[in-house]
């Protein structure tokens, strides 16, 4: 119950628990369900507040999203260390990056990009997804925010070359009594 969800993507060689869009994808789904059940539209400040409260209360070490290497190059140019570029962009570029970061043409998390491009098919409000993107990067790009250390961006290198999908199940004992889940690497290094 303390593990973070990485992105279910065949370009990743990181072992762990994965889901579409990582923790970010699960969180936007939860916000969407809340909006639909409460019949409200969360504002940018509402989403930021909910995310901050979640990060403060969570015992998880990380809250993860992902970004393709291609999206990193589109947003940040040719950089030696892609992860560092995403985590710590130059102060003078942050305002321009903030304007692009929620544009589907620059979103490097494919699941989130699909949600933005096909919001009605996902039964989600496009603005809600954009609000969460902005909230995430507002915290991440603020070097003085104590919650910044909980945020992580998994950079996915190269092109897709997957050849299969593997579905893994674990015995009920492992999941419900021992609280264990299988750790998987989507790709071998």
């Amino acid at each position: 119950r303390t593990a973070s969800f990485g992105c279910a993507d065949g370009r990743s060689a990181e072992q762990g628990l994965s889901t579409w869009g990582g923790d970010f994808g699960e969180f936007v789904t939860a916000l969407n369900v809340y909006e639909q059940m409460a019949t409200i539209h969360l504002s940018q400040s509402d989403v930021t507040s909910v995310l901050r409260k979640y990060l403060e209360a969570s015992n998880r070490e990380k809250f993860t999203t992902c970004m393709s290497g291609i999206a990193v190059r589109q947003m940040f140019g040719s950089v030696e260390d892609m992860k560092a570029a995403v985590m710590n962009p130059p102060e003078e570029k942050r305002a321009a990056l903030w304007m692009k970061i929620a544009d589907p043409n620059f979103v490097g998390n494919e699941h989130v990009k699909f949600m933005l491009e096909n919001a009605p098919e996902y039964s989600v409000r496009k603005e809600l997804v954009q609000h969460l993107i902005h909230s995430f990067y507002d915290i991440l790009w603020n070097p003085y925010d104590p919650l910044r250390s909980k945020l992580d961006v998994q950079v996915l290198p190269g092109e897709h070359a997957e050849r299969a999908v593997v579905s893994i199940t674990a015995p009920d004992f492992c999941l419900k009594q021992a609280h264990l889940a299988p750790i998987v690497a989507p790709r071998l290094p």
Side-chain angles (χ1 to χ4, degrees):
R1 297 181 195 226
T2 60
S4 176
F5 287 113
C7 292
D9 191 292
R11 294 171 289 181
S12 174
E14 291 183 34
Q15 292 184 352
L17 302 174
S18 301
T19 187
W20 304 120
D23 290 314
F24 188 99
E26 293 296 315
F27 199 78
V28 77
T29 299
L31 289 175
N32 185 46
V33 169
Y34 175 74
E35 271 197 349
Q36 291 178 6
M37 289 181 71
T39 62
I40 60 168
H41 284 176
L42 296 170
S43 67
Q44 178 68 61
S45 64
D46 292 334
V47 172
T48 299
S49 176
V50 172
L51 177 60
R52 293 186 71 77
K53 287 177 184 172
Y54 173 79
L55 293 171
E56 288 167 355
S58 175
N59 60 354
R60 292 181 178 191
E61 286 184 31
K62 294 289 181 189
F63 181 93
T64 305
T65 190
C66 55
M67 183 178 268
S68 68
I70 293 167
V72 173
R73 283 190 295 280
Q74 286 178 317
M75 292 285 292
F76 303 93
S78 252
V79 292
E80 204 169 300
D81 185 343
M82 289 189 188
K83 184 160 182 153
V86 175
M87 302 291 282
N88 299 300
E91 179 85 35
E92 64 276 5
K93 292 185 177 181
R94 289 183 186 165
L97 290 169
W98 195 88
M99 297 298 289
K100 288 182 180 178
I101 202 79
D103 179 332
N105 295 312
F106 297 99
V107 171
N109 180 324
E110 287 183 347
H111 181 66
V112 174
K113 178 179 182 162
F114 295 151
M115 291 177 99
L116 289 167
E117 292 176 333
N118 307 295
E121 291 175 34
Y122 281 86
S123 298
V124 67
R125 213 168 42 87
K126 180 179 179 177
E127 295 80 12
L128 177 65
V129 180
Q130 291 172 321
H131 290 338
L132 184 57
I133 292 168
H134 285 135
S135 297
F136 181 94
Y137 285 97
D138 281 345
I139 295 169
L140 182 68
W141 291 344
N142 180 349
Y144 305 106
D145 194 317
L147 296 174
R148 177 181 198 267
S149 63
K150 286 199 164 193
L151 300 182
D152 189 33
V153 179
Q154 186 180 0
V155 177
L156 303 168
E159 298 289 330
H160 283 286
E162 296 91 339
R163 295 201 172 107
V165 174
V166 177
S167 181
I168 298 171
T169 57
D172 278 350
F173 172 80
C174 291
L175 299 172
K176 295 179 181 172
Q177 294 174 348
H179 304 291
L180 299 172
I183 293 177
V184 177
R187 173 181 65 83
L188 297 176

